[in-house]
PDB file of all heavy atoms in Angstrom:
ATOM      1  N   SER A   1       0.842  -1.204   0.000  1.00 96.00           N
ATOM      2  CA  SER A   1       0.000   0.000   0.000  1.00 96.00           C
ATOM      3  C   SER A   1       0.873   1.248   0.000  1.00 96.00           C
ATOM      4  O   SER A   1       2.103   1.177  -0.055  1.00 96.00           O
ATOM      5  CB  SER A   1      -0.932  -0.013   1.210  1.00 96.00           C
ATOM      6  OG  SER A   1      -0.182   0.010   2.416  1.00 96.00           O
ATOM      7  N   LYS A   2       0.234   2.393   0.083  1.00 96.00           N
ATOM      8  CA  LYS A   2       0.946   3.664   0.116  1.00 96.00           C
ATOM      9  C   LYS A   2       0.920   4.246   1.517  1.00 96.00           C
ATOM     10  O   LYS A   2      -0.003   4.029   2.291  1.00 96.00           O
ATOM     11  CB  LYS A   2       0.327   4.659  -0.873  1.00 96.00           C
ATOM     12  CG  LYS A   2       0.564   4.301  -2.331  1.00 96.00           C
ATOM     13  CD  LYS A   2       0.047   5.396  -3.245  1.00 96.00           C
ATOM     14  CE  LYS A   2       0.368   5.075  -4.705  1.00 96.00           C
ATOM     15  NZ  LYS A   2      -0.105   6.159  -5.615  1.00 96.00           N
ATOM     16  N   GLY A   3       1.980   5.003   1.828  1.00 96.00           N
ATOM     17  CA  GLY A   3       2.059   5.727   3.090  1.00 96.00           C
ATOM     18  C   GLY A   3       2.541   7.132   2.807  1.00 96.00           C
ATOM     19  O   GLY A   3       2.719   7.519   1.647  1.00 96.00           O
ATOM     20  N   MET A   4       2.790   7.899   3.860  1.00 96.00           N
ATOM     21  CA  MET A   4       3.189   9.286   3.642  1.00 96.00           C
ATOM     22  C   MET A   4       4.665   9.391   3.274  1.00 96.00           C
ATOM     23  O   MET A   4       5.484   8.565   3.665  1.00 96.00           O
ATOM     24  CB  MET A   4       2.856  10.141   4.850  1.00 96.00           C
ATOM     25  CG  MET A   4       3.693   9.938   6.084  1.00 96.00           C
ATOM     26  SD  MET A   4       3.120  10.974   7.462  1.00 96.00           S
ATOM     27  CE  MET A   4       3.338  12.637   6.800  1.00 96.00           C
ATOM     28  N   SER A   5       4.971  10.418   2.522  1.00 95.00           N
ATOM     29  CA  SER A   5       6.325  10.651   2.036  1.00 95.00           C
ATOM     30  C   SER A   5       7.119  11.473   3.047  1.00 95.00           C
ATOM     31  O   SER A   5       6.690  11.700   4.173  1.00 95.00           O
ATOM     32  CB  SER A   5       6.263  11.354   0.676  1.00 95.00           C
ATOM     33  OG  SER A   5       7.540  11.433   0.083  1.00 95.00           O
ATOM     34  N   VAL A   6       8.275  11.938   2.608  1.00 94.00           N
ATOM     35  CA  VAL A   6       9.216  12.639   3.483  1.00 94.00           C
ATOM     36  C   VAL A   6       8.955  14.146   3.476  1.00 94.00           C
ATOM     37  O   VAL A   6       8.022  14.630   2.833  1.00 94.00           O
ATOM     38  CB  VAL A   6      10.664  12.345   3.049  1.00 94.00           C
ATOM     39  CG1 VAL A   6      10.991  10.878   3.248  1.00 94.00           C
ATOM     40  CG2 VAL A   6      10.883  12.734   1.570  1.00 94.00           C
ATOM     41  N   THR A   7       9.806  14.895   4.157  1.00 95.00           N
ATOM     42  CA  THR A   7       9.707  16.352   4.254  1.00 95.00           C
ATOM     43  C   THR A   7       9.747  16.991   2.861  1.00 95.00           C
ATOM     44  O   THR A   7      10.560  16.553   2.032  1.00 95.00           O
ATOM     45  CB  THR A   7      10.875  16.898   5.094  1.00 95.00           C
ATOM     46  OG1 THR A   7      10.905  16.202   6.339  1.00 95.00           O
ATOM     47  CG2 THR A   7      10.742  18.370   5.333  1.00 95.00           C
ATOM     48  N   PRO A   8       8.916  18.004   2.613  1.00 96.00           N
ATOM     49  CA  PRO A   8       7.989  18.685   3.509  1.00 96.00           C
ATOM     50  C   PRO A   8       6.718  17.871   3.743  1.00 96.00           C
ATOM     51  O   PRO A   8       6.214  17.204   2.845  1.00 96.00           O
ATOM     52  CB  PRO A   8       7.679  19.985   2.774  1.00 96.00           C
ATOM     53  CG  PRO A   8       7.846  19.639   1.329  1.00 96.00           C
ATOM     54  CD  PRO A   8       8.981  18.653   1.284  1.00 96.00           C
ATOM     55  N   ALA A   9       6.221  17.953   4.975  1.00 97.00           N
ATOM     56  CA  ALA A   9       5.022  17.219   5.354  1.00 97.00           C
ATOM     57  C   ALA A   9       4.246  18.031   6.374  1.00 97.00           C
ATOM     58  O   ALA A   9       4.825  18.819   7.128  1.00 97.00           O
ATOM     59  CB  ALA A   9       5.394  15.857   5.935  1.00 97.00           C
ATOM     60  N   ILE A  10       2.939  17.833   6.399  1.00 98.00           N
ATOM     61  CA  ILE A  10       2.078  18.531   7.350  1.00 98.00           C
ATOM     62  C   ILE A  10       1.566  17.516   8.362  1.00 98.00           C
ATOM     63  O   ILE A  10       1.029  16.467   7.982  1.00 98.00           O
ATOM     64  CB  ILE A  10       0.899  19.219   6.649  1.00 98.00           C
ATOM     65  CG1 ILE A  10       1.399  20.175   5.572  1.00 98.00           C
ATOM     66  CG2 ILE A  10       0.045  19.973   7.665  1.00 98.00           C
ATOM     67  CD1 ILE A  10       0.301  20.751   4.702  1.00 98.00           C
ATOM     68  N   LEU A  11       1.740  17.815   9.645  1.00 98.00           N
ATOM     69  CA  LEU A  11       1.339  16.916  10.710  1.00 98.00           C
ATOM     70  C   LEU A  11       0.273  17.558  11.589  1.00 98.00           C
ATOM     71  O   LEU A  11       0.254  18.780  11.777  1.00 98.00           O
ATOM     72  CB  LEU A  11       2.541  16.545  11.582  1.00 98.00           C
ATOM     73  CG  LEU A  11       3.763  15.940  10.879  1.00 98.00           C
ATOM     74  CD1 LEU A  11       4.847  15.625  11.906  1.00 98.00           C
ATOM     75  CD2 LEU A  11       3.387  14.699  10.094  1.00 98.00           C
ATOM     76  N   SER A  12      -0.592  16.727  12.135  1.00 97.00           N
ATOM     77  CA  SER A  12      -1.547  17.178  13.141  1.00 97.00           C
ATOM     78  C   SER A  12      -0.823  17.309  14.477  1.00 97.00           C
ATOM     79  O   SER A  12      -0.189  16.359  14.944  1.00 97.00           O
ATOM     80  CB  SER A  12      -2.701  16.180  13.272  1.00 97.00           C
ATOM     81  OG  SER A  12      -3.321  16.285  14.525  1.00 97.00           O
ATOM     82  N   THR A  13      -0.930  18.468  15.087  1.00 97.00           N
ATOM     83  CA  THR A  13      -0.281  18.699  16.372  1.00 97.00           C
ATOM     84  C   THR A  13      -0.814  17.749  17.430  1.00 97.00           C
ATOM     85  O   THR A  13      -0.045  17.135  18.187  1.00 97.00           O
ATOM     86  CB  THR A  13      -0.500  20.159  16.812  1.00 97.00           C
ATOM     87  OG1 THR A  13      -0.062  21.038  15.773  1.00 97.00           O
ATOM     88  CG2 THR A  13       0.252  20.466  18.104  1.00 97.00           C
ATOM     89  N   GLN A  14      -2.128  17.605  17.488  1.00 96.00           N
ATOM     90  CA  GLN A  14      -2.729  16.759  18.513  1.00 96.00           C
ATOM     91  C   GLN A  14      -2.395  15.291  18.296  1.00 96.00           C
ATOM     92  O   GLN A  14      -2.139  14.551  19.259  1.00 96.00           O
ATOM     93  CB  GLN A  14      -4.249  16.964  18.551  1.00 96.00           C
ATOM     94  CG  GLN A  14      -4.974  16.202  19.639  1.00 96.00           C
ATOM     95  CD  GLN A  14      -4.578  16.647  21.048  1.00 96.00           C
ATOM     96  OE1 GLN A  14      -3.850  17.616  21.220  1.00 96.00           O
ATOM     97  NE2 GLN A  14      -5.063  15.946  22.050  1.00 96.00           N
ATOM     98  N   ALA A  15      -2.367  14.831  17.049  1.00 97.00           N
ATOM     99  CA  ALA A  15      -2.016  13.442  16.779  1.00 97.00           C
ATOM    100  C   ALA A  15      -0.580  13.151  17.212  1.00 97.00           C
ATOM    101  O   ALA A  15      -0.292  12.079  17.758  1.00 97.00           O
ATOM    102  CB  ALA A  15      -2.207  13.123  15.299  1.00 97.00           C
ATOM    103  N   CYS A  16       0.327  14.095  16.993  1.00 97.00           N
ATOM    104  CA  CYS A  16       1.713  13.915  17.435  1.00 97.00           C
ATOM    105  C   CYS A  16       1.792  13.842  18.953  1.00 97.00           C
ATOM    106  O   CYS A  16       2.545  13.032  19.512  1.00 97.00           O
ATOM    107  CB  CYS A  16       2.585  15.060  16.933  1.00 97.00           C
ATOM    108  SG  CYS A  16       3.002  14.975  15.184  1.00 97.00           S
ATOM    109  N   ARG A  17       1.015  14.665  19.616  1.00 95.00           N
ATOM    110  CA  ARG A  17       1.034  14.644  21.082  1.00 95.00           C
ATOM    111  C   ARG A  17       0.529  13.306  21.622  1.00 95.00           C
ATOM    112  O   ARG A  17       1.083  12.769  22.590  1.00 95.00           O
ATOM    113  CB  ARG A  17       0.168  15.789  21.622  1.00 95.00           C
ATOM    114  CG  ARG A  17       0.753  17.175  21.371  1.00 95.00           C
ATOM    115  CD  ARG A  17      -0.192  18.253  21.877  1.00 95.00           C
ATOM    116  NE  ARG A  17       0.342  19.589  21.677  1.00 95.00           N
ATOM    117  CZ  ARG A  17      -0.302  20.706  22.030  1.00 95.00           C
ATOM    118  NH1 ARG A  17      -1.493  20.619  22.604  1.00 95.00           N
ATOM    119  NH2 ARG A  17       0.246  21.887  21.816  1.00 95.00           N
ATOM    120  N   THR A  18      -0.516  12.767  21.018  1.00 95.00           N
ATOM    121  CA  THR A  18      -1.019  11.474  21.503  1.00 95.00           C
ATOM    122  C   THR A  18      -0.046  10.347  21.179  1.00 95.00           C
ATOM    123  O   THR A  18       0.048   9.369  21.921  1.00 95.00           O
ATOM    124  CB  THR A  18      -2.407  11.164  20.903  1.00 95.00           C
ATOM    125  OG1 THR A  18      -2.323  11.083  19.471  1.00 95.00           O
ATOM    126  CG2 THR A  18      -3.418  12.225  21.285  1.00 95.00           C
ATOM    127  N   LEU A  19       0.698  10.489  20.079  1.00 96.00           N
ATOM    128  CA  LEU A  19       1.733   9.506  19.752  1.00 96.00           C
ATOM    129  C   LEU A  19       2.818   9.513  20.820  1.00 96.00           C
ATOM    130  O   LEU A  19       3.264   8.453  21.284  1.00 96.00           O
ATOM    131  CB  LEU A  19       2.328   9.826  18.380  1.00 96.00           C
ATOM    132  CG  LEU A  19       3.542   8.998  17.938  1.00 96.00           C
ATOM    133  CD1 LEU A  19       3.199   7.508  17.872  1.00 96.00           C
ATOM    134  CD2 LEU A  19       4.047   9.492  16.583  1.00 96.00           C
ATOM    135  N   ILE A  20       3.246  10.702  21.234  1.00 95.00           N
ATOM    136  CA  ILE A  20       4.233  10.809  22.312  1.00 95.00           C
ATOM    137  C   ILE A  20       3.695  10.152  23.581  1.00 95.00           C
ATOM    138  O   ILE A  20       4.401   9.390  24.262  1.00 95.00           O
ATOM    139  CB  ILE A  20       4.586  12.285  22.570  1.00 95.00           C
ATOM    140  CG1 ILE A  20       5.443  12.843  21.429  1.00 95.00           C
ATOM    141  CG2 ILE A  20       5.328  12.443  23.900  1.00 95.00           C
ATOM    142  CD1 ILE A  20       5.702  14.332  21.531  1.00 95.00           C
ATOM    143  N   ASN A  21       2.447  10.434  23.913  1.00 93.00           N
ATOM    144  CA  ASN A  21       1.850   9.859  25.124  1.00 93.00           C
ATOM    145  C   ASN A  21       1.803   8.340  25.064  1.00 93.00           C
ATOM    146  O   ASN A  21       1.955   7.659  26.081  1.00 93.00           O
ATOM    147  CB  ASN A  21       0.447  10.419  25.340  1.00 93.00           C
ATOM    148  CG  ASN A  21       0.465  11.871  25.778  1.00 93.00           C
ATOM    149  OD1 ASN A  21       1.467  12.367  26.271  1.00 93.00           O
ATOM    150  ND2 ASN A  21      -0.648  12.550  25.580  1.00 93.00           N
ATOM    151  N   HIS A  22       1.618   7.803  23.866  1.00 94.00           N
ATOM    152  CA  HIS A  22       1.575   6.353  23.706  1.00 94.00           C
ATOM    153  C   HIS A  22       2.892   5.719  24.141  1.00 94.00           C
ATOM    154  O   HIS A  22       2.899   4.623  24.728  1.00 94.00           O
ATOM    155  CB  HIS A  22       1.284   6.006  22.249  1.00 94.00           C
ATOM    156  CG  HIS A  22       1.441   4.551  21.930  1.00 94.00           C
ATOM    157  ND1 HIS A  22       0.525   3.595  22.310  1.00 94.00           N
ATOM    158  CD2 HIS A  22       2.432   3.878  21.271  1.00 94.00           C
ATOM    159  CE1 HIS A  22       0.927   2.405  21.906  1.00 94.00           C
ATOM    160  NE2 HIS A  22       2.086   2.542  21.271  1.00 94.00           N
ATOM    161  N   PHE A  23       3.999   6.384  23.841  1.00 94.00           N
ATOM    162  CA  PHE A  23       5.313   5.838  24.183  1.00 94.00           C
ATOM    163  C   PHE A  23       5.786   6.256  25.573  1.00 94.00           C
ATOM    164  O   PHE A  23       6.877   5.882  25.986  1.00 94.00           O
ATOM    165  CB  PHE A  23       6.349   6.277  23.147  1.00 94.00           C
ATOM    166  CG  PHE A  23       6.241   5.551  21.837  1.00 94.00           C
ATOM    167  CD1 PHE A  23       5.772   6.200  20.704  1.00 94.00           C
ATOM    168  CD2 PHE A  23       6.591   4.212  21.743  1.00 94.00           C
ATOM    169  CE1 PHE A  23       5.667   5.532  19.499  1.00 94.00           C
ATOM    170  CE2 PHE A  23       6.478   3.524  20.542  1.00 94.00           C
ATOM    171  CZ  PHE A  23       6.009   4.191  19.412  1.00 94.00           C
ATOM    172  N   SER A  24       4.994   7.034  26.259  1.00 90.00           N
ATOM    173  CA  SER A  24       5.392   7.542  27.566  1.00 90.00           C
ATOM    174  C   SER A  24       4.706   6.756  28.672  1.00 90.00           C
ATOM    175  O   SER A  24       3.542   6.983  28.991  1.00 90.00           O
ATOM    176  CB  SER A  24       5.028   9.026  27.677  1.00 90.00           C
ATOM    177  OG  SER A  24       5.417   9.543  28.914  1.00 90.00           O
ATOM    178  N   ALA A  25       5.449   5.851  29.282  1.00 76.00           N
ATOM    179  CA  ALA A  25       4.869   4.990  30.321  1.00 76.00           C
ATOM    180  C   ALA A  25       4.400   5.778  31.518  1.00 76.00           C
ATOM    181  O   ALA A  25       3.363   5.490  32.116  1.00 76.00           O
ATOM    182  CB  ALA A  25       5.886   3.932  30.740  1.00 76.00           C
ATOM    183  N   ASP A  26       5.167   6.792  31.908  1.00 70.00           N
ATOM    184  CA  ASP A  26       4.813   7.562  33.103  1.00 70.00           C
ATOM    185  C   ASP A  26       4.578   9.038  32.791  1.00 70.00           C
ATOM    186  O   ASP A  26       4.542   9.870  33.685  1.00 70.00           O
ATOM    187  CB  ASP A  26       5.903   7.439  34.161  1.00 70.00           C
ATOM    188  CG  ASP A  26       7.269   7.911  33.643  1.00 70.00           C
ATOM    189  OD1 ASP A  26       7.327   8.436  32.509  1.00 70.00           O
ATOM    190  OD2 ASP A  26       8.260   7.760  34.361  1.00 70.00           O
ATOM    191  N   HIS A  27       4.416   9.353  31.475  1.00 64.00           N
ATOM    192  CA  HIS A  27       4.159  10.722  31.028  1.00 64.00           C
ATOM    193  C   HIS A  27       5.282  11.692  31.393  1.00 64.00           C
ATOM    194  O   HIS A  27       5.077  12.897  31.490  1.00 64.00           O
ATOM    195  CB  HIS A  27       2.822  11.241  31.579  1.00 64.00           C
ATOM    196  CG  HIS A  27       1.654  10.409  31.163  1.00 64.00           C
ATOM    197  ND1 HIS A  27       1.145  10.439  29.880  1.00 64.00           N
ATOM    198  CD2 HIS A  27       0.925   9.499  31.845  1.00 64.00           C
ATOM    199  CE1 HIS A  27       0.133   9.592  29.786  1.00 64.00           C
ATOM    200  NE2 HIS A  27      -0.014   8.996  30.962  1.00 64.00           N
ATOM    201  N   SER A  28       6.473  11.162  31.584  1.00 70.00           N
ATOM    202  CA  SER A  28       7.609  12.029  31.887  1.00 70.00           C
ATOM    203  C   SER A  28       8.314  12.427  30.597  1.00 70.00           C
ATOM    204  O   SER A  28       8.102  11.833  29.538  1.00 70.00           O
ATOM    205  CB  SER A  28       8.601  11.307  32.794  1.00 70.00           C
ATOM    206  OG  SER A  28       9.277  10.282  32.087  1.00 70.00           O
ATOM    207  N   GLU A  29       9.159  13.417  30.703  1.00 71.00           N
ATOM    208  CA  GLU A  29       9.901  13.909  29.548  1.00 71.00           C
ATOM    209  C   GLU A  29      10.814  12.833  28.967  1.00 71.00           C
ATOM    210  O   GLU A  29      11.002  12.746  27.761  1.00 71.00           O
ATOM    211  CB  GLU A  29      10.736  15.128  29.951  1.00 71.00           C
ATOM    212  CG  GLU A  29      11.684  15.636  28.876  1.00 71.00           C
ATOM    213  CD  GLU A  29      10.963  16.107  27.624  1.00 71.00           C
ATOM    214  OE1 GLU A  29       9.948  16.799  27.753  1.00 71.00           O
ATOM    215  OE2 GLU A  29      11.425  15.762  26.512  1.00 71.00           O
ATOM    216  N   HIS A  30      11.365  11.995  29.839  1.00 83.00           N
ATOM    217  CA  HIS A  30      12.386  11.052  29.381  1.00 83.00           C
ATOM    218  C   HIS A  30      11.826   9.720  28.902  1.00 83.00           C
ATOM    219  O   HIS A  30      12.438   9.073  28.048  1.00 83.00           O
ATOM    220  CB  HIS A  30      13.396  10.797  30.519  1.00 83.00           C
ATOM    221  CG  HIS A  30      14.265  11.968  30.811  1.00 83.00           C
ATOM    222  ND1 HIS A  30      15.449  12.210  30.153  1.00 83.00           N
ATOM    223  CD2 HIS A  30      14.125  12.992  31.686  1.00 83.00           C
ATOM    224  CE1 HIS A  30      16.000  13.324  30.613  1.00 83.00           C
ATOM    225  NE2 HIS A  30      15.216  13.810  31.544  1.00 83.00           N
TER     226      HIS A  30
END
């Protein structure tokens, strides 16, 4: 199938934030 290409690209701010939260076990910076 097809996926998104490289820069330049437009991202949803909120979607990026939830992606970060997904990888954050304790919601800390590290």
Side-chain angles (χ1 to χ4, degrees):
S1 62
K2 290 186 176 181
M4 72 183 299
S5 188
V6 295
T7 307
I10 304 172
L11 305 181
S12 157
T13 306
Q14 184 64 7
C16 285
R17 291 177 179 180
T18 61
L19 173 60
I20 288 173
N21 288 340
H22 170 75
F23 285 109
S24 181
D26 58 6
H27 301 286
S28 71
E29 173 62 44
H30 290 273

